[in-house]
Amino acid sequence: MKSLLLLTILAAFTVAILCYESYESLESHELSPFLNRRYANSFISPQERWRAKAQERVRELRKPAHELNREACEDFGICERYAMLYGYNAAYNRFFRQRRGT
């Protein structure tokens, strides 16, 4: 009976030590890591937001050929599975290059 009581006290003490949360263990002292929409939109002005959208459109128009090939292969299930084994370049050549030649 004494050993059971001692073991229970030791287990409770171990749990208390392991579950103790000190201030050093907290990564952030903020209440919530998320921002509401109004505060989040105040970081970027409307002019900067418009400029970012315009730059994104330009990037979409000027994609490299290998990225366009990869996107075409990702949309085709068989090509994507083949790409997992042999790579996107080989998969694109197998499924799309032959069709253009014939």
Side-chain angles (χ1 to χ4, degrees):
M1 188 68 171
K2 282 186 175 182
S3 62
L4 183 61
L5 180 64
L6 184 63
L7 186 63
T8 306
I9 292 172
L10 184 63
F13 185 69
T14 305
V15 167
I17 288 175
L18 292 176
C19 293
Y20 175 72
E21 189 171 331
S22 66
Y23 288 108
E24 291 85 18
S25 68
L26 297 175
E27 292 180 12
S28 175
H29 296 289
E30 299 173 358
L31 296 176
S32 174
F34 302 105
L35 300 173
N36 63 14
R37 289 181 182 176
R38 179 174 292 170
Y39 186 65
N41 287 335
S42 67
F43 285 109
I44 300 176
S45 68
Q47 185 178 6
E48 290 178 25
R49 209 173 300 137
W50 179 84
R51 187 177 300 137
K53 286 180 183 177
Q55 288 175 350
E56 182 64 29
R57 287 190 197 114
V58 168
R59 274 188 236 118
E60 285 290 324
L61 291 174
R62 296 184 181 178
K63 283 187 179 178
H66 65 86
E67 191 171 340
L68 292 172
N69 295 349
R70 183 176 184 147
E71 287 179 359
C73 191
E74 285 176 349
D75 293 338
F76 190 51
I78 300 169
C79 182
E80 187 167 9
R81 278 183 274 172
Y82 190 86
M84 292 298 167
L85 296 173
Y86 301 106
Y88 279 100
N89 195 18
Y92 182 82
N93 288 337
R94 174 172 177 156
F95 290 101
F96 295 104
R97 294 266 189 228
Q98 293 175 355
R99 289 183 185 172
R100 288 185 180 171
T102 57

